[in-house]
Amino acid sequence: MKSIQQLNEQIITCRKCERLVTFREKIASEKRKQFMDWTYWGKPVIGYGHDNAKLLIVGLAPAAHGGNRTGRVFTGDKSADFLLMCLHTAGMANQPNSDHRDDGLNIYDGYMTPVLKCVPPGDKPTAEELRTCFEYFTLEMALLTHVSVILTLGKIAHDNILKYYQAEYSIKKSDYPFGHFKEYILPDKKVLISSYHPSPRNVNTKRLTKEMMLELFTTIKDRL
Ligand code: SF4
């Protein structure tokens, strides 16, 4: 595999996980009432951003009526609204919104990707589905050669980064516990920063606030 573009062309056609293929297509055909005039994407959702990104933002999976509808990661749902508002306020994105694939969003020096490319029922993937899609994630990691800072949004994203490094280096997962604004130096000198996921559950309960994210993004900018 020579480029992210080639990899993404392959991922978009993937039908390896039967349960997820059935679910993503069911959501795409049934739709939500407020999006009835949309043609849902209903396929795997690939990464978005710059091939030579220095910052890699890793999420869990596309949302049923977010990425699975719009076809772009962190686009068209409440998590995306919060994340982009914070990135824009921190001066790391050109606009405070991420609504659809052609809205011109630019995450400066950044690339965002989900560890699982298809929406899972109840936002809960099986271990086997994560394992199957991890092959693509590993290839993405290898192709994004300019990355110096990795931001993981949520524990599953964090665990997948550690799984990648466990395969490449002999690290102990227990040396890199997940938490909000935990910062680590990885064996290849990249900086790993973990964050609570910007989901409505965390944002509405104030477990994750705009101030917390801006503090974290200030540190990321310093490290880049
Ligand atoms: S989750 Fe990944 S491996 Fe499974 S069908 Fe989607 S793209 Fe393919």
Side-chain angles (χ1 to χ4, degrees):
M1 196 69 62
K2 288 200 185 102
S3 70
I4 280 281
Q5 285 78 13
Q6 283 178 326
L7 173 63
N8 284 340
E9 280 167 26
Q10 184 187 333
I11 295 174
I12 284 173
T13 63
C14 183
R15 304 181 69 83
K16 285 184 193 171
C17 309
E18 209 180 316
R19 183 182 83 117
L20 300 187
V21 171
T22 303
F23 186 65
R24 75 190 189 203
E25 292 177 354
K26 179 171 181 285
I27 295 285
S29 75
E30 290 176 355
K31 306 185 187 182
R32 181 178 275 172
K33 205 170 168 194
Q34 75 198 93
F35 301 124
M36 277 302 161
D37 56 346
W38 274 74
T39 301
Y40 274 49
W41 177 252
K43 295 189 282 261
V45 174
I46 55 174
Y48 177 75
H50 302 278
D51 301 3
N52 56 357
K54 290 189 199 149
L55 170 65
L56 174 63
I57 301 175
V58 184
L60 166 57
H65 303 278
N68 190 56
R69 168 174 61 94
T70 61
R72 194 175 71 187
V73 59
F74 281 116
T75 302
D77 59 31
K78 296 268 186 243
S79 300
D81 290 348
F82 181 78
L83 180 65
L84 264 297
M85 182 263 292
C86 293
L87 280 167
H88 181 252
T89 306
M92 296 169 73
N94 67 330
Q95 59 189 46
N97 57 298
S98 175
D99 302 325
H100 58 86
R101 275 208 309 284
D102 305 315
D103 62 7
L105 174 65
N106 183 4
I107 312 280
Y108 305 137
D109 265 338
Y111 192 88
M112 308 190 287
T113 198
V115 290
L116 187 81
K117 312 299 185 204
C118 297
V119 53
D123 292 327
K124 288 195 171 52
T126 65
E128 193 188 341
E129 286 159 358
L130 283 169
R131 231 180 353 257
T132 306
C133 213
F134 185 72
E135 286 175 33
Y136 293 135
F137 185 66
T138 301
L139 291 170
E140 270 183 304
M141 288 289 289
L143 288 166
L144 292 164
T145 52
H146 291 75
V147 169
S148 58
V149 178
I150 301 170
L151 169 64
T152 52
L153 299 175
K155 188 170 185 309
I156 293 181
H158 187 75
D159 286 350
N160 270 264
I161 285 290
L162 296 183
K163 189 176 166 190
Y164 173 81
Y165 277 90
Q166 277 180 312
E168 300 286 318
Y169 305 87
S170 55
I171 64 159
K172 276 198 284 177
K173 200 175 156 191
S174 56
D175 289 339
Y176 304 82
F178 173 74
H180 184 73
F181 208 167
K182 297 270 188 192
E183 181 176 356
Y184 305 102
I185 304 294
L186 291 161
D188 59 359
K189 306 297 178 218
K190 289 186 179 69
V191 175
L192 170 64
I193 297 181
S194 57
S195 165
Y196 294 149
H197 192 280
S199 63
R201 194 183 311 148
N202 285 334
V203 173
N204 293 344
T205 56
K206 305 262 187 271
R207 186 171 189 240
L208 181 62
T209 63
K210 182 180 177 185
E211 290 70 31
M212 287 163 72
M213 276 313 250
L214 291 180
E215 197 187 355
L216 187 151
F217 284 143
T218 301
T219 297
I220 288 178
K221 282 171 79 179
D222 282 350
R223 303 290 182 263
L224 286 171

